[in-house]
Amino acid sequence: MPLFKTITPNPTTTIYIWKVEEPLEDLEQNVNLTSHCRARLESMKSELHRRGFLSIRHLLHEAGYTDQDLYYTDNGKPHLRDGKYISITHSYNFTAIIVSDDTEVGIDIEMQRDKILRIASRFTPLKEYHTLANEDALIRKLTIVWGAKESLYKIYGVKGISFLKHIYVEDFDFEDSKTTASISYEGNKSNYAIDFLEFEGFTCVYALAL
């Protein structure tokens, strides 16, 4: 089974990343889904989505959980029944989860694509970030910013938050592989640590509440 990478940001938090290479039949083995998740799986028309969905259940196993240990609130946010914090992401042939004993966490994986240049103004003021020498670097930076904001949106779990208006990501250098961010919403402000890594044309960003 291709567990691609395991990261331990701190002693109580672990990230598991899966590279989805197996056929659907292999991923279905040894997976016991709840009726809710079985219905979700069967409603998926794309085999890639099905394979990603099942690979996440294998990641849960790596973290010591089963599908029965996971539930979702009405807004779609995942939770673990033992009270630990979890966030889930999937993008094409990569999936990941982050689990923490004591800290709110969010994670996002994105493929690096030039499409992000066309939508950038919807989620970030470009002037906030340093001028970059080439388009590839701008795509990389914007993908990290998007992933950071997506991770924070997953943590906050409240509809109505605007990536552009309410979530701010501090500028950063690629070499640092980290930055900070904040959410200001309805008079409340919360701060987060952001870390990121890049591999095989993808960007993984994860956030931990401070």
Side-chain angles (χ1 to χ4, degrees), residues 31-101:
V31 173
N32 181 20
L33 297 175
T34 63
S35 57
H36 171 73
C37 285
R38 174 60 62 183
R40 285 183 61 195
L41 177 66
E42 292 175 353
S43 70
M44 295 176 184
K45 296 180 180 180
S46 165
E47 181 173 314
L48 182 61
H49 287 168
R50 288 188 175 200
R51 290 165 64 208
F53 184 87
L54 289 169
S55 74
I56 288 168
R57 273 63 203 168
H58 288 281
L59 288 175
L60 285 170
H61 177 75
E62 293 286 341
Y65 295 99
T66 68
D67 195 48
Q68 285 68 31
D69 297 314
L70 183 71
Y71 71 96
Y72 294 83
T73 50
D74 291 341
N75 60 7
K77 185 175 180 177
H79 294 266
L80 291 169
R81 298 192 186 280
D82 65 2
K84 293 183 181 181
Y85 299 97
I86 186 170
S87 183
I88 297 169
T89 186
H90 53 85
S91 180
Y92 295 89
N93 59 321
F94 282 99
T95 58
I97 65 172
I98 181 171
V99 178
S100 179
D101 294 356

Side-chain angles (χ1 to χ4, degrees), residues 4-9 15-17 94 96 107-110 112 140 143-144 147 172 174 176-178 194-207:
F4 181 73
K5 188 181 291 288
T6 303
I7 304 168
T8 307
I15 296 161
Y16 306 87
I17 302 175
F94 282 99
I107 191 167
D108 188 57
I109 291 180
E110 298 288 341
Q112 297 168 358
R140 288 175 60 203
T143 304
I144 293 165
F172 54 88
F174 293 121
D176 293 337
S177 298
K178 63 183 179 180
I194 304 292
D195 288 83
F196 56 87
L197 62 152
E198 299 171 297
F199 47 83
E200 298 188 14
F202 287 80
T203 299
C204 178
V205 187
Y206 53 95

Side-chain angles (χ1 to χ4, degrees), residues 83-136:
K84 293 183 181 181
Y85 299 97
I86 186 170
S87 183
I88 297 169
T89 186
H90 53 85
S91 180
Y92 295 89
N93 59 321
F94 282 99
T95 58
I97 65 172
I98 181 171
V99 178
S100 179
D101 294 356
D102 50 15
T103 305
E104 285 269 25
V105 289
I107 191 167
D108 188 57
I109 291 180
E110 298 288 341
M111 180 185 282
Q112 297 168 358
R113 299 184 291 170
D114 59 6
K115 175 186 175 181
I116 202 161
L117 298 172
R118 300 194 297 273
I119 66 170
S121 61
R122 303 179 195 173
F123 68 87
T124 186
L126 287 174
K127 64 180 181 294
E128 290 185 357
Y129 302 99
H130 297 324
T131 301
L132 297 172
N134 59 68
E135 187 174 278
D136 287 344

Side-chain angles (χ1 to χ4, degrees), residues 133-165:
N134 59 68
E135 187 174 278
D136 287 344
L138 184 57
I139 290 170
R140 288 175 60 203
K141 176 156 279 197
L142 289 172
T143 304
I144 293 165
V145 173
W146 172 268
K149 294 196 174 193
E150 183 70 29
S151 298
L152 296 185
Y153 184 83
K154 290 178 179 181
I155 290 178
Y156 217 72
V158 176
K159 291 182 179 180
I161 289 182
S162 164
F163 280 27
L164 183 61
K165 297 178 181 178

